[in-house]
Amino acid sequence: MTAPSMLASYINGKFIDSEHYFDNINPVDGSVISKISEANHQMIDEAVAAAKASKWAQLTVNERSILLNKVADVMREREQAFIDAEMADTGKSLFQVQTIDIPRGTANFRFFADLVKFSASESFITDTPQGTKALNYSVNKPLGVVAIISPWNLPLLLATWKIAPAMACGNSVIFKPSEETSSTAFLLAQVMDEVGIPKGAFNLVLGRGHAVGDAITSHKEIDAITFTGASATGQKIMASAAATVKPISFELGGKNSAVVFNDADIDKAVAGVARSTFTNCGQVCLCTEKVYVHRSLFSEFVNKLKQQAAAIKIGYPSDKDVFMGPLVSKVHQQKVLSYYQLAREEGAIVEHGGGVPKFGDARDSGCYIDPTILTGLDDHARINQEEIFGPVCHVSPFDDEAEVIKRVNDTPYGLAASLWTENLSRAHRVAPQIDVGLVWVNTWFLRDLRTPFGGTKLSGVGREGGQHSLAFYSEPSNICIHIDQ
Ligand code: 6OD
């Protein structure tokens, strides 16, 4: 498994180093994977100036679509390099990068490259009672320079989810990936370069949040900001964007529930909740952290979920059948462990896990953590209110439908929920009452790129996906033509 060993920013069609470097650490064993050159303020200014001057917006929709499909083609040819780089940075399992992260990177480009060609703009014939007639139609223009700040949990997937529609709509982008996961971003810049994307259309600036992220979000020449990450960071970016009233689109944190009703197929529900809790070590904003199970099924459900957790293979990400690698970093491992400790202090019963697995080799210096199941706390325990972002859920019993809806909604977040029931009427009745942007019934993280994606409350602002993305990344301008009678 190899990843690029020296990572540089890509600005105005050139790879550029600064004299400041930091180490990119492998979460499997703490070794250094690569050196990352951190962009300085002058480089950020150059990137923004290049983005403004780029010819990208002048290309036709069809020309942009062809080039973005070429990006997808070359990413597909280089799939193994993307897989290796993503695994090295994140420690996520081969199975996951092969089936989720990297294919979605390519799919995001293809989807938006095609969608933008088939999108119509609005038009209305105005016919007033006084007999005045006019034709109104809107033209969708790019916003200009869009800053894209993406997180470490699904690095390529979440970056391309924004880069592809932003560029399809004719915007130039300034892309800052998380400092934990810059390798696939660097590979993507190489692809953009080779495919012949006009200079300045795609700029990659590498570095840490306080050094590079803040300089981007406060930059006066940036026209819009789109961000996926922690709610607290979203709050800071929003304050910074307010100064110039920039459009923003945020996908933020979650404290997502799964509800298992007494009419659920219990084995499907157990397998589904295990997947929604432990996938990517719980490091997906959509992962389940609170599980409500009808009291009649509670003990059976907890026992079966414990069996699933015990069967999870934890190890080297590239080993066959490994489902959980390490968490992304030591800092994050310490954060999740502090919540395991807090759960004990709050009086939780630790049904499974609660610590760090021991391997007796180099992995003991890595960022591994146990899949963990908790019970015994009420909904107002901090464990049941705060986003942990680790492979952990708390399971509580409930008695009736109205009660569980109220309890699921009793959180400052509103991203996702999953319902497990074989009763179709119940699914239709309950789903719209959950105050979240995404409800899955008898499944989880089943994605259709045309659907609105985003959250309510602390979980975000706006929706992306399909036409929602095109609406965010473009500015409609209405043209009204009077029709002489
Ligand atoms: O699947 C997607 O398009 C998406 N935006 C997933 C977000 C996951 C957050 O961790």
Side-chain angles (χ1 to χ4, degrees), residues 222-248:
I222 281 179
D223 299 298
I225 304 174
T226 176
F227 167 72
T228 303
S231 299
T233 313
Q235 285 165 332
K236 282 196 210 141
I237 297 177
M238 200 166 185
S240 168
T244 46
V245 200
K246 289 188 212 313
I248 51 161

PDB file of all heavy atoms in Angstrom, residues 222-248:
ATOM      1  N   ILE A 222     -13.837  35.622  -2.106  1.00  0.00           N
ATOM      2  CA  ILE A 222     -14.514  34.329  -2.292  1.00  0.00           C
ATOM      3  C   ILE A 222     -16.019  34.564  -2.258  1.00  0.00           C
ATOM      4  O   ILE A 222     -16.523  35.302  -1.416  1.00  0.00           O
ATOM      5  CB  ILE A 222     -14.016  33.318  -1.233  1.00  0.00           C
ATOM      6  CG1 ILE A 222     -12.657  32.814  -1.718  1.00  0.00           C
ATOM      7  CG2 ILE A 222     -15.010  32.183  -1.009  1.00  0.00           C
ATOM      8  CD1 ILE A 222     -11.965  31.850  -0.874  1.00  0.00           C
ATOM      9  N   ASP A 223     -16.721  33.955  -3.220  1.00  0.00           N
ATOM     10  CA  ASP A 223     -18.137  34.297  -3.405  1.00  0.00           C
ATOM     11  C   ASP A 223     -19.098  33.396  -2.648  1.00  0.00           C
ATOM     12  O   ASP A 223     -20.243  33.769  -2.427  1.00  0.00           O
ATOM     13  CB  ASP A 223     -18.475  34.260  -4.905  1.00  0.00           C
ATOM     14  CG  ASP A 223     -17.644  35.280  -5.675  1.00  0.00           C
ATOM     15  OD1 ASP A 223     -17.782  36.479  -5.391  1.00  0.00           O
ATOM     16  OD2 ASP A 223     -16.824  34.872  -6.518  1.00  0.00           O
ATOM     17  N   ALA A 224     -18.675  32.180  -2.301  1.00  0.00           N
ATOM     18  CA  ALA A 224     -19.573  31.272  -1.568  1.00  0.00           C
ATOM     19  C   ALA A 224     -18.707  30.240  -0.841  1.00  0.00           C
ATOM     20  O   ALA A 224     -17.582  29.967  -1.265  1.00  0.00           O
ATOM     21  CB  ALA A 224     -20.516  30.567  -2.534  1.00  0.00           C
ATOM     22  N   ILE A 225     -19.257  29.719   0.239  1.00  0.00           N
ATOM     23  CA  ILE A 225     -18.503  28.717   1.014  1.00  0.00           C
ATOM     24  C   ILE A 225     -19.394  27.495   1.210  1.00  0.00           C
ATOM     25  O   ILE A 225     -20.557  27.619   1.612  1.00  0.00           O
ATOM     26  CB  ILE A 225     -18.105  29.246   2.403  1.00  0.00           C
ATOM     27  CG1 ILE A 225     -17.309  30.554   2.280  1.00  0.00           C
ATOM     28  CG2 ILE A 225     -17.294  28.196   3.171  1.00  0.00           C
ATOM     29  CD1 ILE A 225     -16.994  31.212   3.618  1.00  0.00           C
ATOM     30  N   THR A 226     -18.836  26.342   0.926  1.00  0.00           N
ATOM     31  CA  THR A 226     -19.550  25.107   1.208  1.00  0.00           C
ATOM     32  C   THR A 226     -18.647  24.240   2.080  1.00  0.00           C
ATOM     33  O   THR A 226     -17.448  24.121   1.837  1.00  0.00           O
ATOM     34  CB  THR A 226     -20.033  24.420  -0.093  1.00  0.00           C
ATOM     35  OG1 THR A 226     -20.636  23.191   0.245  1.00  0.00           O
ATOM     36  CG2 THR A 226     -18.945  24.220  -1.111  1.00  0.00           C
ATOM     37  N   PHE A 227     -19.239  23.674   3.121  1.00  0.00           N
ATOM     38  CA  PHE A 227     -18.433  23.037   4.168  1.00  0.00           C
ATOM     39  C   PHE A 227     -19.151  21.799   4.681  1.00  0.00           C
ATOM     40  O   PHE A 227     -20.373  21.813   4.878  1.00  0.00           O
ATOM     41  CB  PHE A 227     -18.246  24.055   5.313  1.00  0.00           C
ATOM     42  CG  PHE A 227     -17.705  23.467   6.590  1.00  0.00           C
ATOM     43  CD1 PHE A 227     -16.380  23.064   6.681  1.00  0.00           C
ATOM     44  CD2 PHE A 227     -18.513  23.322   7.715  1.00  0.00           C
ATOM     45  CE1 PHE A 227     -15.875  22.515   7.861  1.00  0.00           C
ATOM     46  CE2 PHE A 227     -18.025  22.788   8.899  1.00  0.00           C
ATOM     47  CZ  PHE A 227     -16.696  22.384   8.971  1.00  0.00           C
ATOM     48  N   THR A 228     -18.384  20.749   4.911  1.00  0.00           N
ATOM     49  CA  THR A 228     -18.890  19.591   5.649  1.00  0.00           C
ATOM     50  C   THR A 228     -17.960  19.380   6.824  1.00  0.00           C
ATOM     51  O   THR A 228     -16.733  19.331   6.641  1.00  0.00           O
ATOM     52  CB  THR A 228     -18.879  18.320   4.774  1.00  0.00           C
ATOM     53  OG1 THR A 228     -19.643  18.566   3.608  1.00  0.00           O
ATOM     54  CG2 THR A 228     -19.486  17.137   5.515  1.00  0.00           C
ATOM     55  N   GLY A 229     -18.523  19.259   8.011  1.00  0.00           N
ATOM     56  CA  GLY A 229     -17.670  19.058   9.183  1.00  0.00           C
ATOM     57  C   GLY A 229     -18.436  19.315  10.466  1.00  0.00           C
ATOM     58  O   GLY A 229     -19.669  19.257  10.501  1.00  0.00           O
ATOM     59  N   ALA A 230     -17.685  19.646  11.501  1.00  0.00           N
ATOM     60  CA  ALA A 230     -18.271  19.786  12.840  1.00  0.00           C
ATOM     61  C   ALA A 230     -19.157  21.027  12.929  1.00  0.00           C
ATOM     62  O   ALA A 230     -18.855  22.066  12.317  1.00  0.00           O
ATOM     63  CB  ALA A 230     -17.153  19.876  13.867  1.00  0.00           C
ATOM     64  N   SER A 231     -20.219  20.936  13.730  1.00  0.00           N
ATOM     65  CA  SER A 231     -21.148  22.064  13.875  1.00  0.00           C
ATOM     66  C   SER A 231     -20.431  23.288  14.430  1.00  0.00           C
ATOM     67  O   SER A 231     -20.703  24.422  14.003  1.00  0.00           O
ATOM     68  CB  SER A 231     -22.306  21.674  14.792  1.00  0.00           C
ATOM     69  OG  SER A 231     -22.995  20.586  14.221  1.00  0.00           O
ATOM     70  N   ALA A 232     -19.488  23.090  15.369  1.00  0.00           N
ATOM     71  CA  ALA A 232     -18.797  24.235  15.979  1.00  0.00           C
ATOM     72  C   ALA A 232     -17.988  24.983  14.913  1.00  0.00           C
ATOM     73  O   ALA A 232     -17.971  26.225  14.895  1.00  0.00           O
ATOM     74  CB  ALA A 232     -17.889  23.771  17.099  1.00  0.00           C
ATOM     75  N   THR A 233     -17.356  24.253  13.996  1.00  0.00           N
ATOM     76  CA  THR A 233     -16.600  24.921  12.925  1.00  0.00           C
ATOM     77  C   THR A 233     -17.569  25.632  11.991  1.00  0.00           C
ATOM     78  O   THR A 233     -17.311  26.751  11.526  1.00  0.00           O
ATOM     79  CB  THR A 233     -15.759  23.888  12.135  1.00  0.00           C
ATOM     80  OG1 THR A 233     -15.088  23.059  13.064  1.00  0.00           O
ATOM     81  CG2 THR A 233     -14.757  24.547  11.215  1.00  0.00           C
ATOM     82  N   GLY A 234     -18.714  25.007  11.709  1.00  0.00           N
ATOM     83  CA  GLY A 234     -19.732  25.632  10.858  1.00  0.00           C
ATOM     84  C   GLY A 234     -20.183  26.966  11.451  1.00  0.00           C
ATOM     85  O   GLY A 234     -20.369  27.945  10.718  1.00  0.00           O
ATOM     86  N   GLN A 235     -20.336  27.007  12.778  1.00  0.00           N
ATOM     87  CA  GLN A 235     -20.762  28.261  13.414  1.00  0.00           C
ATOM     88  C   GLN A 235     -19.727  29.357  13.172  1.00  0.00           C
ATOM     89  O   GLN A 235     -20.068  30.503  12.862  1.00  0.00           O
ATOM     90  CB  GLN A 235     -20.963  28.046  14.925  1.00  0.00           C
ATOM     91  CG  GLN A 235     -22.249  27.295  15.220  1.00  0.00           C
ATOM     92  CD  GLN A 235     -22.305  26.752  16.651  1.00  0.00           C
ATOM     93  OE1 GLN A 235     -21.278  26.463  17.271  1.00  0.00           O
ATOM     94  NE2 GLN A 235     -23.516  26.593  17.160  1.00  0.00           N
ATOM     95  N   LYS A 236     -18.436  28.988  13.269  1.00  0.00           N
ATOM     96  CA  LYS A 236     -17.372  30.000  13.058  1.00  0.00           C
ATOM     97  C   LYS A 236     -17.351  30.466  11.601  1.00  0.00           C
ATOM     98  O   LYS A 236     -17.205  31.649  11.306  1.00  0.00           O
ATOM     99  CB  LYS A 236     -16.003  29.395  13.387  1.00  0.00           C
ATOM    100  CG  LYS A 236     -15.722  29.318  14.854  1.00  0.00           C
ATOM    101  CD  LYS A 236     -14.228  29.096  15.067  1.00  0.00           C
ATOM    102  CE  LYS A 236     -14.012  28.322  16.349  1.00  0.00           C
ATOM    103  NZ  LYS A 236     -12.962  27.334  16.280  1.00  0.00           N
ATOM    104  N   ILE A 237     -17.504  29.515  10.678  1.00  0.00           N
ATOM    105  CA  ILE A 237     -17.470  29.890   9.257  1.00  0.00           C
ATOM    106  C   ILE A 237     -18.660  30.799   8.940  1.00  0.00           C
ATOM    107  O   ILE A 237     -18.542  31.770   8.197  1.00  0.00           O
ATOM    108  CB  ILE A 237     -17.474  28.639   8.358  1.00  0.00           C
ATOM    109  CG1 ILE A 237     -16.206  27.808   8.596  1.00  0.00           C
ATOM    110  CG2 ILE A 237     -17.575  29.024   6.877  1.00  0.00           C
ATOM    111  CD1 ILE A 237     -16.141  26.517   7.800  1.00  0.00           C
ATOM    112  N   MET A 238     -19.795  30.490   9.537  1.00  0.00           N
ATOM    113  CA  MET A 238     -21.000  31.293   9.274  1.00  0.00           C
ATOM    114  C   MET A 238     -20.774  32.735   9.734  1.00  0.00           C
ATOM    115  O   MET A 238     -21.124  33.691   9.031  1.00  0.00           O
ATOM    116  CB  MET A 238     -22.175  30.689  10.036  1.00  0.00           C
ATOM    117  CG  MET A 238     -23.505  31.074   9.519  1.00  0.00           C
ATOM    118  SD  MET A 238     -24.701  29.954  10.262  1.00  0.00           S
ATOM    119  CE  MET A 238     -26.159  30.489   9.419  1.00  0.00           C
ATOM    120  N   ALA A 239     -20.143  32.881  10.897  1.00  0.00           N
ATOM    121  CA  ALA A 239     -19.878  34.233  11.412  1.00  0.00           C
ATOM    122  C   ALA A 239     -18.934  34.952  10.460  1.00  0.00           C
ATOM    123  O   ALA A 239     -19.125  36.133  10.146  1.00  0.00           O
ATOM    124  CB  ALA A 239     -19.284  34.142  12.809  1.00  0.00           C
ATOM    125  N   SER A 240     -17.937  34.231   9.965  1.00  0.00           N
ATOM    126  CA  SER A 240     -16.965  34.849   9.074  1.00  0.00           C
ATOM    127  C   SER A 240     -17.617  35.224   7.733  1.00  0.00           C
ATOM    128  O   SER A 240     -17.357  36.292   7.168  1.00  0.00           O
ATOM    129  CB  SER A 240     -15.826  33.841   8.937  1.00  0.00           C
ATOM    130  OG  SER A 240     -14.987  34.143   7.955  1.00  0.00           O
ATOM    131  N   ALA A 241     -18.518  34.359   7.240  1.00  0.00           N
ATOM    132  CA  ALA A 241     -19.188  34.630   5.956  1.00  0.00           C
ATOM    133  C   ALA A 241     -20.179  35.785   6.073  1.00  0.00           C
ATOM    134  O   ALA A 241     -20.487  36.454   5.078  1.00  0.00           O
ATOM    135  CB  ALA A 241     -19.918  33.379   5.477  1.00  0.00           C
ATOM    136  N   ALA A 242     -20.657  36.031   7.294  1.00  0.00           N
ATOM    137  CA  ALA A 242     -21.675  37.083   7.477  1.00  0.00           C
ATOM    138  C   ALA A 242     -21.128  38.448   7.083  1.00  0.00           C
ATOM    139  O   ALA A 242     -21.869  39.291   6.564  1.00  0.00           O
ATOM    140  CB  ALA A 242     -22.148  37.101   8.934  1.00  0.00           C
ATOM    141  N   ALA A 243     -19.833  38.665   7.268  1.00  0.00           N
ATOM    142  CA  ALA A 243     -19.254  39.982   6.997  1.00  0.00           C
ATOM    143  C   ALA A 243     -19.483  40.402   5.547  1.00  0.00           C
ATOM    144  O   ALA A 243     -19.692  41.579   5.270  1.00  0.00           O
ATOM    145  CB  ALA A 243     -17.770  39.959   7.317  1.00  0.00           C
ATOM    146  N   THR A 244     -19.462  39.434   4.618  1.00  0.00           N
ATOM    147  CA  THR A 244     -19.679  39.805   3.207  1.00  0.00           C
ATOM    148  C   THR A 244     -20.953  39.158   2.649  1.00  0.00           C
ATOM    149  O   THR A 244     -21.138  39.076   1.431  1.00  0.00           O
ATOM    150  CB  THR A 244     -18.460  39.387   2.353  1.00  0.00           C
ATOM    151  OG1 THR A 244     -18.102  38.070   2.715  1.00  0.00           O
ATOM    152  CG2 THR A 244     -17.289  40.316   2.553  1.00  0.00           C
ATOM    153  N   VAL A 245     -21.806  38.678   3.529  1.00  0.00           N
ATOM    154  CA  VAL A 245     -23.092  38.057   3.170  1.00  0.00           C
ATOM    155  C   VAL A 245     -22.911  37.041   2.033  1.00  0.00           C
ATOM    156  O   VAL A 245     -23.569  37.108   1.000  1.00  0.00           O
ATOM    157  CB  VAL A 245     -24.170  39.117   2.796  1.00  0.00           C
ATOM    158  CG1 VAL A 245     -25.574  38.519   2.918  1.00  0.00           C
ATOM    159  CG2 VAL A 245     -24.084  40.342   3.657  1.00  0.00           C
ATOM    160  N   LYS A 246     -22.024  36.082   2.269  1.00  0.00           N
ATOM    161  CA  LYS A 246     -21.779  35.058   1.236  1.00  0.00           C
ATOM    162  C   LYS A 246     -22.809  33.945   1.366  1.00  0.00           C
ATOM    163  O   LYS A 246     -23.168  33.590   2.481  1.00  0.00           O
ATOM    164  CB  LYS A 246     -20.414  34.400   1.479  1.00  0.00           C
ATOM    165  CG  LYS A 246     -19.231  35.273   1.195  1.00  0.00           C
ATOM    166  CD  LYS A 246     -17.983  34.391   1.306  1.00  0.00           C
ATOM    167  CE  LYS A 246     -16.762  35.103   1.806  1.00  0.00           C
ATOM    168  NZ  LYS A 246     -16.440  36.350   1.230  1.00  0.00           N
ATOM    169  N   PRO A 247     -23.215  33.351   0.248  1.00  0.00           N
ATOM    170  CA  PRO A 247     -24.028  32.135   0.353  1.00  0.00           C
ATOM    171  C   PRO A 247     -23.204  31.023   1.008  1.00  0.00           C
ATOM    172  O   PRO A 247     -22.007  30.882   0.727  1.00  0.00           O
ATOM    173  CB  PRO A 247     -24.335  31.763  -1.097  1.00  0.00           C
ATOM    174  CG  PRO A 247     -23.945  32.943  -1.918  1.00  0.00           C
ATOM    175  CD  PRO A 247     -22.961  33.747  -1.135  1.00  0.00           C
ATOM    176  N   ILE A 248     -23.860  30.240   1.867  1.00  0.00           N
ATOM    177  CA  ILE A 248     -23.175  29.107   2.502  1.00  0.00           C
ATOM    178  C   ILE A 248     -24.038  27.856   2.381  1.00  0.00           C
ATOM    179  O   ILE A 248     -25.269  27.947   2.299  1.00  0.00           O
ATOM    180  CB  ILE A 248     -22.907  29.360   4.007  1.00  0.00           C
ATOM    181  CG1 ILE A 248     -24.199  29.806   4.697  1.00  0.00           C
ATOM    182  CG2 ILE A 248     -21.788  30.369   4.229  1.00  0.00           C
ATOM    183  CD1 ILE A 248     -24.156  29.644   6.178  1.00  0.00           C
TER     184      ILE A 248
END
